[in-house]
Amino acid sequence: MNNNHINNNHINNNHIDTNSSTVNNIKCCIRKDIYEVSRTGKLILFLALSLGMAVMIMAFTIIFTDVPDALTSELPDLDISSLESMMSTLYPKMLRESLGVYAYYIGVFYSLIVILVCNNILPREKKEGKWILPKEQGYKCRDIIVGKCLVYGCASGLAVTIGYLMYFIVASAFMERNMTFGNAFVCSLVHGLNMFFIIAYTFLFSVWFKSGVAAAISIIGTVLFAPDILRWFEIGKYFPTYLLTFVYDSSDEYGSIVAPLVINLILLVFTYVMATEKAEKL
């Protein structure tokens, strides 16, 4: 009886030690990746892309929306109604719609660049033998992968959230304000979460897929085309990519993001399990 009790305590202690070791390993990987993302300039790159796109779109809005008025004053007989319609669609002076344009640029161009930057990081580290020493020190492949997903995902997402809120604050000074700060704050968090998911999937797919090109193409294709295609179907509201559509529309129907968020988390866990299992086998 006493021996059984001692054995059970020994097993429980081993289990606790294992969990504690895993948590400590992940913390160490996170600290290392925070230093890496800062040292290599990727954090600056994420912020520069996010804020640079904000400045570019606001500049285009100021410049191009005055073109129809200038043409009217110079050529009063010219019919520019189609040009005015096009300019108001591409670069609207309404805050909600303009933020939707900015969110779309982030979803397409920002994510494209960040995916290409991050897609080859883990495969290159493994190929160069950078995983050998950590594994000899007791680290698992999943510790390294989790650290990369968390740090790079949070860094890219934070840059988007900051850029979105800065856009709202600056654009409010010269655009018609038809959107509340609370709505903008929620949309900024959702879009930051979008980038976190995109980068996390990028890292996991780069480990799971044999071809890094196939992994990048699958993520890029999903981000670029799925939101526009699925918005035409009622079931599209339940797909993970609806989180992108939500921000593109500057929506305030917050209940609609619950289902795609839950599905996104489930898919992320599934992808994590498949990617880490394959990494451990290799």
Side-chain angles (χ1 to χ4, degrees), residues 50-113:
S50 178
L51 296 175
M53 288 181 183
V55 172
M56 180 187 70
I57 294 172
M58 282 190 281
F60 284 171
T61 302
I62 294 172
I63 295 170
F64 290 123
T65 52
D66 291 335
V67 170
D69 294 335
L71 287 175
T72 300
S73 61
E74 294 293 331
L75 303 169
D77 297 330
L78 182 66
D79 182 12
I80 60 169
S81 57
S82 59
L83 179 62
E84 288 179 330
S85 176
M86 182 182 70
M87 289 302 178
S88 63
T89 301
L90 292 176
Y91 302 105
K93 279 192 172 180
M94 306 286 284
L95 186 56
R96 178 185 294 273
E97 288 74 12
S98 184
L99 275 166
V101 173
Y102 171 67
Y104 186 80
Y105 272 64
I106 288 292
V108 174
F109 299 108
Y110 176 94
S111 61
L112 175 63
I113 295 171

Side-chain angles (χ1 to χ4, degrees), residues 186-208:
V186 172
C187 286
S188 71
L189 293 179
V190 173
H191 217 18
L193 193 59
N194 283 331
M195 290 305 112
F196 175 85
F197 281 128
I198 289 171
I199 297 307
Y201 282 124
T202 298
F203 278 114
L204 295 175
F205 276 31
S206 70
V207 176
W208 189 6

Side-chain angles (χ1 to χ4, degrees), residues 1 7 27 71 73 86 134 186 230 251 261:
M1 197 63 183
N7 289 335
K27 286 180 179 179
L71 287 175
S73 61
M86 182 182 70
V186 172
L230 292 174
S251 178
L261 179 59

Side-chain angles (χ1 to χ4, degrees), residues 9 52 78 210:
N9 285 339
L78 182 66
K210 290 183 179 180

Side-chain angles (χ1 to χ4, degrees), residues 21-38:
S21 175
T22 300
V23 172
N24 289 333
N25 288 349
I26 293 175
K27 286 180 179 179
C28 290
C29 288
I30 289 174
R31 285 196 294 268
K32 188 270 292 183
D33 288 324
I34 290 174
Y35 174 74
E36 176 185 296
V37 81
S38 301

